[in-house]
Amino acid sequence: MTTAFFRPSSLTRPAASPFPQIRERRGVRFRKYRSPIFFAALLPICKAGPLRRDVVLLGCCSAMNIIFSSAVLHAAIEVDEDVKMALVVDDINAYSFLYPAEVPAKKFSFRWVESRKPERYSSAAPLSPDARQRIVSERVDMINNLVISVSIGPPNLRYLTSIDKSSWKARDVADSVLSDKSALPVSTGQRMTESSVLDAHASEVDGDVYWYYEYLVRKSPTKSAPDSNLYRHSVASTAERDGYLYSLNASTLSKKWESLGPFLKEAVASFRLLPPTESYVPPYKDPWRFW
């Protein structure tokens, strides 16, 4: 695995909230990322010069061609003076996102471990007994109790009854995704009682609609946390392609949300579906294949 380093000026965020907003309302606000880095990542870096120098080459072009030909790309990016973000590009499922790597001012580094490497939908781990929604990639920081994962699954027709996605409401998209995430062998209605959606809204980014939502999930009490009022605080972004929902979810314990939540919001706001390459494997392809 090779790491490339960039510092695109177009990813510098203002002091205001890091989330774009299509209308005034309370809750999660997601900021649009329009940096060409997500599209430049699909090209040899030596050909990205015309993109107003948003991507700075730190190495020879031949070496970078090797880096960008891999299925997953990692790159350290400074979003602002406070936090460094790392970029992941998954060519198999054609998406990208940023995740927090370091807070230099506080001499704090996240301890991420890639618990699930990107893989095709047919071989990915199911999130529920019916195996409709599956985790295609995941990374965890066990020290700080953080999880960032990407899941793919078909829409739940109980909530998304129309084939016209422009008519979908953000809350219905959130309910569709969350209803298929529980690993408990219970009904959909019972699964929904585990989750509480705090806010949901939609935003168009570069011609694609993304549905953003923030929610709480009640967790079972443990010896270290005997209180039954234990939650994971999550934010997520969902987009549709080829009849499937692609979702990036980021979460931590509710007691850590105030300090770590803003970084997870940055990650969710950066989630993008990318133009498919030759490596792209649509979810419906070879459903029998497990490797």
Side-chain angles (χ1 to χ4, degrees), residues 172-224:
D172 292 338
V173 173
D175 287 343
S176 173
V177 174
L178 295 178
S179 66
D180 285 335
K181 287 188 68 172
S182 174
L184 297 177
V186 295
S187 67
T188 301
Q190 288 175 301
R191 293 178 196 171
M192 291 304 300
T193 62
E194 299 175 5
S195 305
S196 176
V197 178
L198 304 178
D199 178 76
H201 70 275
S203 181
E204 184 174 316
V205 182
D206 298 327
D208 293 322
V209 178
Y210 289 81
W211 295 274
Y212 301 102
Y213 42 102
E214 179 179 3
Y215 63 97
L216 299 176
V217 176
R218 185 184 297 274
K219 308 301 293 184
S220 300
T222 63
K223 291 183 178 180
S224 59

Side-chain angles (χ1 to χ4, degrees), residues 32-137:
K32 294 183 179 179
Y33 281 86
R34 295 189 177 276
S35 170
I37 186 171
F38 297 103
F39 301 99
L42 299 176
L43 303 172
I45 196 68
C46 56
K47 295 182 181 180
L51 299 178
R52 301 180 62 182
R53 293 182 294 181
D54 284 298
V55 181
V56 179
L57 173 62
L58 295 182
C60 64
C61 289
S62 59
M64 293 305 297
N65 285 334
I66 297 175
I67 295 172
F68 283 91
S69 64
S70 61
V72 183
L73 171 73
H74 296 269
I77 299 175
E78 286 191 28
V79 177
D80 57 20
E81 296 179 354
D82 297 325
V83 58
K84 287 185 178 181
M85 306 287 283
L87 171 67
V88 172
V89 175
D90 177 4
D91 289 337
I92 297 175
N93 300 292
Y95 64 79
S96 68
F97 66 90
L98 301 171
Y99 64 93
E102 182 182 359
V103 185
K106 297 182 179 180
K107 297 182 179 180
F108 174 79
S109 296
F110 292 86
R111 306 296 183 184
W112 295 106
V113 175
E114 191 176 48
S115 53
R116 296 185 186 275
K117 294 184 178 181
E119 58 184 324
R120 56 190 300 148
Y121 174 78
S122 63
S123 61
L127 279 165
S128 60
D130 56 24
R132 285 167 46 83
Q133 189 171 171
R134 306 178 186 183
I135 302 175
V136 296
S137 71

